[in-house]
Structure formats: structure tokens, C-alpha cells
Amino acid sequence: MVMEYITAEETVILAVLPAYVDFTTCECINLAQSVDKSGERTIGVVTKIDRADKGILAKIKAEKKMDLRLRLGCIPVRNRTQEEVEKDVSSTEIRAKEATFFRDHEELKHLSEDKRGMDALAGKLADIQLERLLTTMPKLGKQIADRLKDVKAQFDSLGEVWCLVEPCFLNYGRQLGHKVGQQEDIFRGPVWPD
């Protein structure tokens, strides 16, 4: 089932790696590499970092040397403990505990703040999503324009019936384009024909 989602070129793959295992033997890495050979769509998320053995910083930094092909990077995060879940500790407190953990950790304090923790992961994912959106929207816009052209040709073959439908269809397309945003900017040119 996972393969169905990670195969699409538009998908970003989050390879979730427990800190205490050998990254090279993780099934998620093997799955990611089977569909993303260069690793350009894969980001590593190292969980359970508070249970990591000594040498975790070298392990995180060595992801390129181990040929894990995590071109989007590798970000360690501190998970909530079972006790924190049971006590319903707020997300604000969890983030504060995570910041303290990284600040005080003998090795991980040397990672810059933009490469560790949930906030760094959220920021990185937002940046990736925006970049993907900007690179895939022109392609999607062209696909829509091509499909619209094909559908218009089919309607043209219907004769008089199309004369009644065409203005509504084109108006809908323009409204949809404006709801998506400034179609000139996102699609790098007009999508909806006049």
C-alpha cells in the first residue's frame, strides 16, 4: 500500500528511522530507494533520539557517506514519552522539553537549530512543499490546458449544443484559476483560453 503513495514523482518520502538502529538496514530506506534512486525526494526523520547510543551525531551526519541518499537531509526529533502522552502534556511543553534536550545533549547540541527538532522538520517540510508546488504547478497547468483543449474539440464536434455550454465552461475555468491564485504567476502563463 505504501508503494502506491511513494511512487508518484510529486511525493516527498519521509523515511522514519529509529535512532537506535542501523539506518542502512531500515526497510523504509530500501522502499524509498526502490522508487527514488537518487534520493531527491527523500528526507530522513530520526525518531526516539533520546534513546540513541553514543555516536548518534556522526551517524546522522554520515547519512551521505552511508549512501542512504537522503538528499533532503536528515532531521532528528524527540518523541513524546508514554508518560507525557498519558499526562496529556501540551505541545508547547513538549517543544520546550525537546529544545532543552537538544541544547543539553553532549553530541546533538552541535547540530544547528534548523537541522534538529520538530520545528526544524515542520519548516523544512513547508519549504519542500512550496518548492514542489512551484515546480509542479506549471506542469499541472499544461496538463489541464491540454485536456481543456481536447474537451473543447469534443464539444465543438457537437455543434449547436456547445454554443450553450461553452461560455459557462470557460467561466468556470477562469473562476477556478482565480481561486488557485494568480494563474499568470503559478502557471507561468494563461491557462484558460478565451
Side-chain angles (χ1 to χ4, degrees):
M1 185 166 137
V2 167
M3 295 302 285
E4 179 181 336
Y5 294 104
I6 66 173
T7 303
E9 286 295 318
E10 299 81 21
T11 303
V12 173
I13 302 168
L14 271 70
V16 180
L17 309 159
Y20 51 83
V21 301
D22 178 2
F23 293 171
T24 59
T25 62
C26 284
E27 184 179 359
C28 66
I29 293 294
N30 294 328
L31 287 173
Q33 288 178 348
S34 72
V35 295
D36 181 26
K37 306 258 185 255
S38 66
E40 291 181 28
R41 302 185 292 121
T42 306
I43 183 171
V45 181
V46 181
T47 62
K48 301 178 176 95
I49 197 71
D50 50 326
R51 294 164 60 189
D53 295 329
K54 198 170 184 88
I56 187 63
L57 180 61
K59 191 173 170 181
I60 290 169
K61 287 186 171 185
E63 49 88 10
K64 288 185 179 82
K65 293 177 188 159
M66 290 188 281
D67 199 30
L68 294 181
R69 291 175 260 163
L70 302 172
R71 301 291 183 256
L72 296 177
C74 192
I75 298 179
V77 296
R78 180 192 171 272
N79 300 78
R80 296 185 304 167
T81 64
Q82 186 60 40
E83 183 182 344
E84 290 168 342
V85 170
E86 290 169 3
K87 290 184 177 180
D88 199 25
V89 177
S90 74
S91 61
T92 304
E93 289 177 77
I94 296 293
R95 280 197 163 81
K97 287 182 177 193
E98 182 184 58
T100 301
F101 171 80
F102 282 118
R103 186 186 65 238
D104 295 345
H105 192 278
E106 183 181 326
E107 293 178 69
L108 297 173
K109 66 183 175 186
H110 300 292
L111 273 179
S112 63
E113 288 186 19
D114 66 331
K115 297 194 184 314
R116 65 180 195 211
M118 291 302 291
D119 289 337
L121 178 60
K124 179 78 169 174
L125 291 175
D127 291 345
I128 292 167
Q129 185 177 24
L130 177 60
E131 179 186 328
R132 295 273 174 196
L133 184 64
L134 293 175
T135 57
T136 58
M137 287 304 278
K139 181 180 174 183
L140 181 59
K142 182 171 177 358
Q143 290 172 346
I144 291 170
D146 291 347
R147 181 69 179 129
L148 182 60
K149 184 178 174 183
D150 292 344
V151 170
K152 186 176 183 316
Q154 289 174 2
F155 276 122
D156 284 345
S157 71
L158 296 176
E160 265 185 55
V161 174
W162 174 242
C163 295
L164 300 172
V165 176
E166 181 180 24
C168 295
F169 187 68
L170 293 176
N171 185 43
Y172 172 77
R174 282 188 199 93
Q175 289 179 15
L176 180 61
H178 291 297
K179 288 194 184 293
V180 170
Q182 298 296 324
Q183 62 180 346
E184 293 281 332
D185 294 337
I186 291 177
F187 294 110
R188 308 241 196 297
V191 173
W192 314 113
D194 289 11

PDB file of all heavy atoms in Angstrom, residues 115-137:
ATOM      1  N   LYS A 115      18.423  22.108  11.866  1.00  0.00           N
ATOM      2  CA  LYS A 115      18.641  20.710  11.487  1.00  0.00           C
ATOM      3  C   LYS A 115      18.253  19.734  12.591  1.00  0.00           C
ATOM      4  O   LYS A 115      18.646  18.560  12.558  1.00  0.00           O
ATOM      5  CB  LYS A 115      20.109  20.498  11.100  1.00  0.00           C
ATOM      6  CG  LYS A 115      20.523  21.303   9.880  1.00  0.00           C
ATOM      7  CD  LYS A 115      21.826  20.826   9.329  1.00  0.00           C
ATOM      8  CE  LYS A 115      22.335  21.632   8.171  1.00  0.00           C
ATOM      9  NZ  LYS A 115      21.441  21.960   7.136  1.00  0.00           N
ATOM     10  N   ARG A 116      17.475  20.214  13.562  1.00  0.00           N
ATOM     11  CA  ARG A 116      17.063  19.335  14.660  1.00  0.00           C
ATOM     12  C   ARG A 116      15.721  19.782  15.224  1.00  0.00           C
ATOM     13  O   ARG A 116      15.425  20.983  15.290  1.00  0.00           O
ATOM     14  CB  ARG A 116      18.113  19.337  15.768  1.00  0.00           C
ATOM     15  CG  ARG A 116      18.248  20.689  16.426  1.00  0.00           C
ATOM     16  CD  ARG A 116      19.288  20.692  17.510  1.00  0.00           C
ATOM     17  NE  ARG A 116      19.147  21.890  18.335  1.00  0.00           N
ATOM     18  CZ  ARG A 116      20.129  22.485  18.940  1.00  0.00           C
ATOM     19  NH1 ARG A 116      21.355  22.002  18.848  1.00  0.00           N
ATOM     20  NH2 ARG A 116      19.906  23.553  19.675  1.00  0.00           N
ATOM     21  N   GLY A 117      14.907  18.824  15.601  1.00  0.00           N
ATOM     22  CA  GLY A 117      13.646  19.111  16.268  1.00  0.00           C
ATOM     23  C   GLY A 117      12.439  19.234  15.351  1.00  0.00           C
ATOM     24  O   GLY A 117      12.563  19.370  14.132  1.00  0.00           O
ATOM     25  N   MET A 118      11.271  19.181  15.979  1.00  0.00           N
ATOM     26  CA  MET A 118      10.005  19.231  15.248  1.00  0.00           C
ATOM     27  C   MET A 118       9.815  20.539  14.492  1.00  0.00           C
ATOM     28  O   MET A 118       9.295  20.543  13.374  1.00  0.00           O
ATOM     29  CB  MET A 118       8.826  19.002  16.211  1.00  0.00           C
ATOM     30  CG  MET A 118       8.750  17.590  16.756  1.00  0.00           C
ATOM     31  SD  MET A 118       8.605  16.313  15.476  1.00  0.00           S
ATOM     32  CE  MET A 118       6.965  16.638  14.887  1.00  0.00           C
ATOM     33  N   ASP A 119      10.232  21.658  15.089  1.00  0.00           N
ATOM     34  CA  ASP A 119      10.081  22.940  14.394  1.00  0.00           C
ATOM     35  C   ASP A 119      10.932  22.973  13.133  1.00  0.00           C
ATOM     36  O   ASP A 119      10.497  23.471  12.092  1.00  0.00           O
ATOM     37  CB  ASP A 119      10.439  24.108  15.316  1.00  0.00           C
ATOM     38  CG  ASP A 119       9.403  24.321  16.410  1.00  0.00           C
ATOM     39  OD1 ASP A 119       8.242  23.905  16.222  1.00  0.00           O
ATOM     40  OD2 ASP A 119       9.751  24.907  17.455  1.00  0.00           O
ATOM     41  N   ALA A 120      12.140  22.432  13.209  1.00  0.00           N
ATOM     42  CA  ALA A 120      13.014  22.369  12.032  1.00  0.00           C
ATOM     43  C   ALA A 120      12.392  21.465  10.967  1.00  0.00           C
ATOM     44  O   ALA A 120      12.413  21.793   9.775  1.00  0.00           O
ATOM     45  CB  ALA A 120      14.397  21.867  12.420  1.00  0.00           C
ATOM     46  N   LEU A 121      11.836  20.338  11.401  1.00  0.00           N
ATOM     47  CA  LEU A 121      11.196  19.418  10.455  1.00  0.00           C
ATOM     48  C   LEU A 121      10.000  20.087   9.786  1.00  0.00           C
ATOM     49  O   LEU A 121       9.850  20.022   8.563  1.00  0.00           O
ATOM     50  CB  LEU A 121      10.761  18.136  11.172  1.00  0.00           C
ATOM     51  CG  LEU A 121      10.041  17.105  10.305  1.00  0.00           C
ATOM     52  CD1 LEU A 121      10.918  16.635   9.143  1.00  0.00           C
ATOM     53  CD2 LEU A 121       9.598  15.917  11.157  1.00  0.00           C
ATOM     54  N   ALA A 122       9.159  20.753  10.579  1.00  0.00           N
ATOM     55  CA  ALA A 122       7.986  21.433  10.019  1.00  0.00           C
ATOM     56  C   ALA A 122       8.415  22.514   9.024  1.00  0.00           C
ATOM     57  O   ALA A 122       7.833  22.642   7.942  1.00  0.00           O
ATOM     58  CB  ALA A 122       7.144  22.039  11.141  1.00  0.00           C
ATOM     59  N   GLY A 123       9.435  23.296   9.370  1.00  0.00           N
ATOM     60  CA  GLY A 123       9.930  24.333   8.476  1.00  0.00           C
ATOM     61  C   GLY A 123      10.490  23.750   7.189  1.00  0.00           C
ATOM     62  O   GLY A 123      10.226  24.252   6.091  1.00  0.00           O
ATOM     63  N   LYS A 124      11.257  22.678   7.315  1.00  0.00           N
ATOM     64  CA  LYS A 124      11.842  22.022   6.142  1.00  0.00           C
ATOM     65  C   LYS A 124      10.751  21.472   5.233  1.00  0.00           C
ATOM     66  O   LYS A 124      10.805  21.639   4.009  1.00  0.00           O
ATOM     67  CB  LYS A 124      12.783  20.893   6.611  1.00  0.00           C
ATOM     68  CG  LYS A 124      13.426  20.117   5.514  1.00  0.00           C
ATOM     69  CD  LYS A 124      14.582  20.863   4.918  1.00  0.00           C
ATOM     70  CE  LYS A 124      15.384  19.957   3.988  1.00  0.00           C
ATOM     71  NZ  LYS A 124      16.411  20.669   3.285  1.00  0.00           N
ATOM     72  N   LEU A 125       9.747  20.845   5.816  1.00  0.00           N
ATOM     73  CA  LEU A 125       8.651  20.290   5.018  1.00  0.00           C
ATOM     74  C   LEU A 125       7.851  21.396   4.327  1.00  0.00           C
ATOM     75  O   LEU A 125       7.426  21.240   3.179  1.00  0.00           O
ATOM     76  CB  LEU A 125       7.738  19.414   5.879  1.00  0.00           C
ATOM     77  CG  LEU A 125       8.368  18.098   6.349  1.00  0.00           C
ATOM     78  CD1 LEU A 125       7.421  17.372   7.302  1.00  0.00           C
ATOM     79  CD2 LEU A 125       8.746  17.215   5.178  1.00  0.00           C
ATOM     80  N   ALA A 126       7.655  22.526   5.015  1.00  0.00           N
ATOM     81  CA  ALA A 126       6.951  23.655   4.391  1.00  0.00           C
ATOM     82  C   ALA A 126       7.748  24.192   3.202  1.00  0.00           C
ATOM     83  O   ALA A 126       7.182  24.477   2.138  1.00  0.00           O
ATOM     84  CB  ALA A 126       6.710  24.760   5.416  1.00  0.00           C
ATOM     85  N   ASP A 127       9.057  24.308   3.362  1.00  0.00           N
ATOM     86  CA  ASP A 127       9.913  24.768   2.259  1.00  0.00           C
ATOM     87  C   ASP A 127       9.858  23.795   1.078  1.00  0.00           C
ATOM     88  O   ASP A 127       9.753  24.216  -0.072  1.00  0.00           O
ATOM     89  CB  ASP A 127      11.369  24.918   2.721  1.00  0.00           C
ATOM     90  CG  ASP A 127      11.568  26.073   3.688  1.00  0.00           C
ATOM     91  OD1 ASP A 127      10.670  26.934   3.799  1.00  0.00           O
ATOM     92  OD2 ASP A 127      12.641  26.109   4.342  1.00  0.00           O
ATOM     93  N   ILE A 128       9.923  22.512   1.380  1.00  0.00           N
ATOM     94  CA  ILE A 128       9.874  21.491   0.334  1.00  0.00           C
ATOM     95  C   ILE A 128       8.533  21.542  -0.387  1.00  0.00           C
ATOM     96  O   ILE A 128       8.461  21.482  -1.620  1.00  0.00           O
ATOM     97  CB  ILE A 128      10.124  20.088   0.926  1.00  0.00           C
ATOM     98  CG1 ILE A 128      11.564  19.969   1.416  1.00  0.00           C
ATOM     99  CG2 ILE A 128       9.801  18.989  -0.089  1.00  0.00           C
ATOM    100  CD1 ILE A 128      11.817  18.744   2.291  1.00  0.00           C
ATOM    101  N   GLN A 129       7.456  21.674   0.391  1.00  0.00           N
ATOM    102  CA  GLN A 129       6.123  21.704  -0.206  1.00  0.00           C
ATOM    103  C   GLN A 129       5.971  22.905  -1.138  1.00  0.00           C
ATOM    104  O   GLN A 129       5.434  22.781  -2.243  1.00  0.00           O
ATOM    105  CB  GLN A 129       5.060  21.740   0.889  1.00  0.00           C
ATOM    106  CG  GLN A 129       3.653  21.654   0.346  1.00  0.00           C
ATOM    107  CD  GLN A 129       2.623  21.613   1.452  1.00  0.00           C
ATOM    108  OE1 GLN A 129       2.858  22.068   2.556  1.00  0.00           O
ATOM    109  NE2 GLN A 129       1.460  21.077   1.132  1.00  0.00           N
ATOM    110  N   LEU A 130       6.444  24.053  -0.707  1.00  0.00           N
ATOM    111  CA  LEU A 130       6.351  25.247  -1.551  1.00  0.00           C
ATOM    112  C   LEU A 130       7.164  25.061  -2.830  1.00  0.00           C
ATOM    113  O   LEU A 130       6.688  25.355  -3.926  1.00  0.00           O
ATOM    114  CB  LEU A 130       6.853  26.480  -0.790  1.00  0.00           C
ATOM    115  CG  LEU A 130       6.862  27.781  -1.593  1.00  0.00           C
ATOM    116  CD1 LEU A 130       5.463  28.145  -2.073  1.00  0.00           C
ATOM    117  CD2 LEU A 130       7.457  28.900  -0.763  1.00  0.00           C
ATOM    118  N   GLU A 131       8.371  24.545  -2.690  1.00  0.00           N
ATOM    119  CA  GLU A 131       9.219  24.307  -3.872  1.00  0.00           C
ATOM    120  C   GLU A 131       8.547  23.328  -4.836  1.00  0.00           C
ATOM    121  O   GLU A 131       8.511  23.553  -6.042  1.00  0.00           O
ATOM    122  CB  GLU A 131      10.572  23.765  -3.425  1.00  0.00           C
ATOM    123  CG  GLU A 131      11.512  23.471  -4.581  1.00  0.00           C
ATOM    124  CD  GLU A 131      12.793  22.790  -4.118  1.00  0.00           C
ATOM    125  OE1 GLU A 131      13.255  23.057  -2.989  1.00  0.00           O
ATOM    126  OE2 GLU A 131      13.313  21.972  -4.892  1.00  0.00           O
ATOM    127  N   ARG A 132       7.996  22.251  -4.291  1.00  0.00           N
ATOM    128  CA  ARG A 132       7.305  21.251  -5.123  1.00  0.00           C
ATOM    129  C   ARG A 132       6.096  21.864  -5.814  1.00  0.00           C
ATOM    130  O   ARG A 132       5.826  21.589  -6.977  1.00  0.00           O
ATOM    131  CB  ARG A 132       6.850  20.061  -4.287  1.00  0.00           C
ATOM    132  CG  ARG A 132       7.958  19.272  -3.688  1.00  0.00           C
ATOM    133  CD  ARG A 132       8.427  18.222  -4.636  1.00  0.00           C
ATOM    134  NE  ARG A 132       9.588  17.588  -4.053  1.00  0.00           N
ATOM    135  CZ  ARG A 132      10.414  16.846  -4.727  1.00  0.00           C
ATOM    136  NH1 ARG A 132      10.223  16.644  -5.989  1.00  0.00           N
ATOM    137  NH2 ARG A 132      11.453  16.313  -4.151  1.00  0.00           N
ATOM    138  N   LEU A 133       5.364  22.678  -5.089  1.00  0.00           N
ATOM    139  CA  LEU A 133       4.186  23.322  -5.654  1.00  0.00           C
ATOM    140  C   LEU A 133       4.578  24.216  -6.827  1.00  0.00           C
ATOM    141  O   LEU A 133       3.967  24.169  -7.895  1.00  0.00           O
ATOM    142  CB  LEU A 133       3.471  24.141  -4.570  1.00  0.00           C
ATOM    143  CG  LEU A 133       2.176  24.813  -4.963  1.00  0.00           C
ATOM    144  CD1 LEU A 133       1.122  23.779  -5.313  1.00  0.00           C
ATOM    145  CD2 LEU A 133       1.679  25.691  -3.838  1.00  0.00           C
ATOM    146  N   LEU A 134       5.620  24.993  -6.638  1.00  0.00           N
ATOM    147  CA  LEU A 134       6.056  25.904  -7.693  1.00  0.00           C
ATOM    148  C   LEU A 134       6.613  25.169  -8.908  1.00  0.00           C
ATOM    149  O   LEU A 134       6.509  25.658 -10.031  1.00  0.00           O
ATOM    150  CB  LEU A 134       7.090  26.897  -7.148  1.00  0.00           C
ATOM    151  CG  LEU A 134       6.548  27.891  -6.124  1.00  0.00           C
ATOM    152  CD1 LEU A 134       7.670  28.743  -5.546  1.00  0.00           C
ATOM    153  CD2 LEU A 134       5.456  28.767  -6.724  1.00  0.00           C
ATOM    154  N   THR A 135       7.209  23.995  -8.689  1.00  0.00           N
ATOM    155  CA  THR A 135       7.752  23.252  -9.826  1.00  0.00           C
ATOM    156  C   THR A 135       6.715  22.364 -10.506  1.00  0.00           C
ATOM    157  O   THR A 135       6.833  22.102 -11.700  1.00  0.00           O
ATOM    158  CB  THR A 135       8.972  22.386  -9.422  1.00  0.00           C
ATOM    159  OG1 THR A 135       8.586  21.498  -8.381  1.00  0.00           O
ATOM    160  CG2 THR A 135      10.132  23.241  -8.975  1.00  0.00           C
ATOM    161  N   THR A 136       5.711  21.903  -9.768  1.00  0.00           N
ATOM    162  CA  THR A 136       4.718  21.014 -10.383  1.00  0.00           C
ATOM    163  C   THR A 136       3.514  21.759 -10.955  1.00  0.00           C
ATOM    164  O   THR A 136       2.857  21.232 -11.847  1.00  0.00           O
ATOM    165  CB  THR A 136       4.215  19.950  -9.385  1.00  0.00           C
ATOM    166  OG1 THR A 136       3.649  20.584  -8.246  1.00  0.00           O
ATOM    167  CG2 THR A 136       5.327  19.012  -8.971  1.00  0.00           C
ATOM    168  N   MET A 137       3.234  22.957 -10.458  1.00  0.00           N
ATOM    169  CA  MET A 137       2.057  23.674 -10.948  1.00  0.00           C
ATOM    170  C   MET A 137       2.125  24.004 -12.438  1.00  0.00           C
ATOM    171  O   MET A 137       1.122  23.861 -13.139  1.00  0.00           O
ATOM    172  CB  MET A 137       1.803  24.943 -10.126  1.00  0.00           C
ATOM    173  CG  MET A 137       1.254  24.661  -8.736  1.00  0.00           C
ATOM    174  SD  MET A 137      -0.262  23.688  -8.749  1.00  0.00           S
ATOM    175  CE  MET A 137      -1.447  24.960  -9.081  1.00  0.00           C
TER     176      MET A 137
END
